[in-house]
Amino acid sequence: MKLVKKLVVLAAALTMVLSLVACGGEKFPQTYKYTVDWVMGTRGEVAELTLNEDGTFDYSYTATDSKDANKTVMSLEVTGTYEKDGNTVKVAVESGSGYAMNGDTKMDLKVSADDLTWYKMTYAAGATTFEIEGDVFVPVE
């Protein structure tokens, strides 16, 4: 009977230790943001980089009109894979889509690994390497 009690206590202790080890790692998703608020005469921008546990990332970018903060002039969503080393994140863009306004005309935007043209027009400026500083990400390339 004493052996059974010791085994139960050991099993409970191992369960608690393994639970603590599992909680000690990085938490996902990890989201980093860059924001420039709209001020009369300047364009507002919001860019967000989300790192997922499975090694994929989501990048979104939205820009508002310089004369009307309620009018979106560009919106783009990009996905791909990433590698993280400390505060450095290296992404491989795979695909993306969105739109840009040319006056009142909406233009569809496409991004692929071979064509980063519209990705280059966002906060990322085509960068594939970012530095993480707190909850902000900065292109370094």
Side-chain angles (χ1 to χ4, degrees):
M1 194 63 160
K2 288 184 178 187
L3 179 61
V4 172
K5 285 182 181 179
K6 287 181 182 181
L7 288 175
V8 169
V9 169
L10 178 61
L14 285 174
T15 301
M16 288 188 294
V17 168
L18 291 176
S19 296
L20 289 173
V21 169
C23 292
E26 291 185 293
K27 303 214 183 314
F28 289 93
Q30 298 172 354
T31 301
Y32 306 94
K33 201 170 194 175
Y34 169 82
T35 303
V36 172
D37 291 329
W38 183 88
V39 178
M40 190 58 136
T42 64
R43 182 169 79 173
E45 297 180 274
V46 176
E48 193 168 278
L49 177 67
T50 301
L51 307 179
N52 302 306
E53 189 170 15
D54 64 358
T56 62
F57 77 92
D58 299 300
Y59 171 81
S60 65
Y61 174 81
T62 303
T64 57
D65 188 274
S66 62
K67 295 177 183 161
D68 182 355
N70 297 314
K71 182 178 180 184
T72 298
V73 294
M74 183 176 179
S75 178
L76 189 67
E77 303 282 331
V78 175
T79 61
T81 58
Y82 76 91
E83 292 180 11
K84 185 176 178 189
D85 183 14
N87 289 339
T88 302
V89 176
K90 177 90 173 147
V91 301
V93 174
E94 293 176 1
S95 64
S97 63
Y99 70 91
M101 298 302 294
N102 182 6
D104 290 332
T105 305
K106 190 175 191 178
M107 302 180 323
D108 289 332
L109 309 178
K110 296 289 181 202
V111 174
S112 69
D114 298 327
D115 185 3
L116 300 177
T117 301
W118 292 108
Y119 177 64
K120 291 177 182 179
M121 302 298 287
T122 71
Y123 166 69
T128 56
T129 303
F130 301 97
E131 286 295 320
I132 304 300
E133 299 174 4
D135 62 353
V136 176
F137 71 108
V138 179
V140 293
E141 194 177 280

